[in-house]
Amino acid sequence: MRRLIFLAIVMLAAQSPLAAQGVGDFYRGKTVTLTVGYSAGGGYDTYARILARHLGKHIPGNPAVVVQNSPGAGSLKAANYLYNVAPKDGTAIGMFGRGIALEPLIGSSNAAQFDATKFLWLGSGTDEAAVVVIWAAKGIKTWADMRAKPFTVGGEGTGSDPDVYALMLKNVFGINLRLVSGYPGTAEMALALERGEVDGRASWSWSSLKSLKPEWIAQKVNLPVQLNLRKSPDLPDVPLVGNFATNDRQRLILKLVLSRQTMGRPFMAPPQIPPERQAALRKAFDDTMKDPEFLAEAKARGQEVNPVSGADLDKLLAELYATPKDVVEETKKAISAP
């Protein structure tokens, strides 16, 4: 009972003018570092830099917000840093791959050094559609082509979308692909495609592809399938991968793996931040998502804004981490090499 009363007092205090004033005093003159788990120039980096230009004006005290790139292991390096090393005072926030939150659950290694449910999830800028992208010269246009013709795809590292989806396509659906992993981010994989080092990418966010490489869509690449639970209205003629599931095992694996698309462009902060600063950061993110200047810049840069709240991300992760163990183990096998 005493614990409940204490928590109620803390929540009320966080909402009071004095708490807001205290948060403003803390942030005034400070810099908030936004660590992005990818190299500069990709979709995550672009989204983070747009957010950084507007977020500070919605945080009490109006701190500067700067972006710091920390690529490695498909952004797992950044996730581990944010959870274990970054300051837990509210001056460090981050953005890593939408699938990294599931790495402790279905990952193929023990490299994830965090509890995803304990991050402070600020929210996501959008839920994402993703597509398989194949260089047009390879001649792979359809799902049937993907099954019939061998090809190579680029990846970023354990737990990243390109790697997880490539392994799922190979191990669950028998797609004859070879994964070449270790690229720091989208910019490097795009260059690898142009150079012919790889034939495609097993997962590319649609918003990132159309903003970074719009000229490719018309003539340089094919999109045989989209990797979502629901069809994107932008891609009415691109079939869902779920259309090709032939049994319940495949459907259950798809549901667990593709749920990460709701994570979209996720932003988070380390655990153990004081409650009043947690509330301020979440409110600042929500307010930024409605900021006309932010929305105008995002539109101009080709970035979608269809926000998912931090509370909704909390709920989603709680549901995913409650998945029955047999389904989890089956999924882990499916997305593990080879």
Side-chain angles (χ1 to χ4, degrees):
M1 185 65 179
R2 290 181 179 178
R3 179 176 174 80
L4 291 174
I5 294 172
F6 172 76
L7 289 174
I9 292 171
V10 169
M11 292 178 66
L12 287 172
Q15 298 170 8
S16 71
L18 286 177
Q21 182 180 356
V23 171
D25 289 341
F26 171 79
Y27 278 111
R28 193 166 294 111
K30 285 189 171 62
T31 296
V32 173
T33 300
L34 198 174
T35 298
V36 182
Y38 294 97
S39 56
Y44 282 92
D45 177 73
T46 299
Y47 213 105
R49 291 181 185 276
I50 295 171
L51 182 89
R53 282 191 281 273
H54 302 275
L55 181 66
K57 64 187 175 184
H58 298 289
I59 300 174
N62 307 127
V65 180
V66 299
V67 173
Q68 170 181 282
N69 294 94
S70 182
S75 77
L76 184 59
K77 174 185 172 183
N80 287 336
Y81 164 78
L82 283 162
Y83 193 86
N84 297 293
V85 181
K88 295 177 172 58
D89 60 357
T91 61
I93 60 176
M95 185 188 200
F96 48 71
R98 66 181 64 88
I100 293 297
L102 291 179
E103 188 63 12
L105 181 65
I106 59 175
S108 58
S109 73
N110 296 318
Q113 301 167 4
F114 57 83
D115 181 340
T117 64
K118 292 184 179 178
F119 275 111
L120 170 64
W121 294 97
L122 305 182
S124 172
T126 183
D127 51 1
E128 281 281 353
V131 287
V132 173
V133 177
I134 308 290
W135 202 248
K138 188 66 179 178
I140 296 176
K141 299 180 179 180
T142 66
W143 180 259
D145 292 338
M146 288 174 61
R147 290 183 59 85
K149 301 179 182 181
F151 59 99
T152 59
V153 294
E156 297 166 340
T158 301
S160 68
D161 284 2
D163 293 62
V164 168
Y165 289 175
L167 293 170
M168 179 187 70
L169 290 170
K170 179 178 181 178
N171 295 334
V172 178
F173 294 97
I175 301 300
N176 191 9
L177 60 80
R178 182 170 66 91
L179 174 63
V180 180
S181 194
Y183 291 100
T186 292
E188 291 80 7
M189 274 196 285
L191 186 59
L193 267 168
E194 290 182 313
R195 289 174 172 173
E197 295 174 14
V198 295
D199 302 313
R201 176 171 172 167
S203 172
W204 199 332
S205 293
W206 171 242
S207 63
S208 176
L209 176 63
K210 69 181 181 180
S211 66
L212 298 175
K213 297 293 182 182
E215 72 281 5
W216 284 17
I217 297 170
Q219 54 187 345
K220 291 191 175 183
V221 296
N222 294 324
L223 313 177
V225 67
Q226 55 179 299
L227 300 160
N228 315 308
L229 293 174
R230 294 181 297 178
K231 181 170 281 194
S232 167
D234 279 0
L235 301 164
D237 299 322
V238 180
L240 286 170
V241 66
N243 293 354
F244 306 105
T246 58
N247 56 60
D248 289 341
R249 170 183 171 272
Q250 291 178 339
R251 295 183 188 95
L252 286 170
I253 292 170
L254 282 175
K255 182 177 181 180
L256 184 54
V257 175
L258 298 185
S259 291
R260 68 182 60 200
Q261 294 304 127
T262 303
M263 301 289 290
R265 299 293 190 190
F267 292 86
M268 71 295 298
Q272 301 173 10
I273 294 173
E276 66 275 9
R277 294 176 207 163
Q278 291 187 29
L281 288 172
R282 271 195 168 177
K283 184 176 185 302
F285 181 86
D286 292 343
D287 290 346
T288 302
M289 291 296 107
K290 296 177 285 189
D291 183 330
E293 293 180 353
F294 166 79
L295 293 171
E297 183 175 357
K299 182 178 181 180
R301 299 289 299 277
Q303 299 297 314
E304 295 180 1
V305 180
N306 182 29
V308 182
S309 72
D312 284 341
L313 294 185
D314 285 341
K315 182 180 178 181
L316 173 64
L317 287 171
E319 292 173 354
L320 294 176
Y321 273 83
T323 301
K325 289 184 178 180
D326 60 328
V327 177
V328 170
E329 291 304 313
E330 190 74 10
T331 303
K332 288 175 71 172
K333 291 178 183 178
I335 60 176
S336 298

